[in-house]
Amino acid sequence: MDRSWLMAIVVAVLFGLFGLMYSGWRGRRKRQAGIPKPESVPADLGQALGEFEGFYVATTSAGKPLDRIAVRGLGFRARCSVSVAVAGLVVHLPGDDVFIPAGDVRDFTEATWTIDRAVEEKGLQLVAWTLGATPVDSYFRMDEPQAFAQAVDAMRSTERTTS
């Protein structure tokens, strides 16, 4: 067997693997088609509590850090900025903004790992929220984690006093 045949076999195997990966991703998106699109960003967010830079890591099903949500712009890790206001969080992702209403935030805590990221102890910020009727967890790795946590806590405190 000469080198051209070996190269053809390797290329065919790689195309087959990429095809399987694409098929799996498409199947995941199809299974999650019932998950609604996040709410639109309201015109009035109320008092701004902070603007933070960092990474959006992933959104997963609540309590299942290996079950990535792959629909509605939530499927890919990216550099982001997050605006925290009284009305909620606006996650500015490339090509799309995701709004997390303050009333939908169930919890805010720290995490060490999720689907494609393992970091030092408490290196991720986890926002547990409800997307439609689906409880989800969104993971962030912010440049200023303590300031981000304080802003989210202030947002949640304001939401509790106005509810």
Side-chain angles (χ1 to χ4, degrees):
M1 203 184 291
D2 66 351
R3 290 177 65 109
S4 59
W5 277 103
L6 289 175
M7 183 62 83
I9 291 170
V10 168
V11 169
V13 168
L14 286 176
F15 272 111
L17 289 174
F18 284 129
L20 289 172
M21 289 170 45
Y22 175 74
S23 175
W25 187 257
R26 208 173 77 212
R28 175 177 293 277
R29 291 185 64 182
K30 194 174 190 178
R31 285 189 306 274
Q32 295 176 349
I35 297 175
K37 183 175 182 172
E39 292 182 28
S40 298
V41 179
D44 181 21
L45 291 170
Q47 177 187 357
L49 302 172
E51 178 84 20
F52 305 93
E53 299 289 324
F55 280 98
Y56 165 75
V57 178
T59 295
T60 64
S61 298
K64 298 178 182 175
L66 296 177
D67 184 24
R68 181 187 301 270
I69 300 296
V71 296
R72 317 285 189 250
L74 299 172
F76 299 101
R77 188 168 76 93
R79 187 91 180 138
C80 73
S81 64
V82 179
S83 303
V84 182
V86 171
L89 291 88
V90 180
V91 183
H92 306 281
L93 295 169
D96 203 11
D97 288 343
V98 175
F99 178 60
I100 303 173
D104 290 349
V105 176
R106 298 184 333 273
D107 195 12
F108 178 80
T109 188
E110 295 168 324
T112 303
W113 65 277
T114 188
I115 190 93
D116 66 349
R117 183 71 41 199
V119 297
E120 72 279 359
E121 187 77 21
K122 299 181 180 181
L124 296 173
Q125 293 75 48
L126 185 154
V127 177
W129 58 293
T130 305
L131 177 56
T134 306
V136 296
D137 296 337
S138 290
Y139 296 85
F140 300 90
R141 183 155 170 84
M142 304 309 288
D143 296 343
E144 302 174 52
Q146 285 78 22
F148 179 63
Q150 290 171 349
V152 173
D153 286 342
M155 176 201 69
R156 293 182 70 214
S157 296
T158 303
E159 170 62 25
R160 276 180 274 199
T161 59
T162 58
S163 299

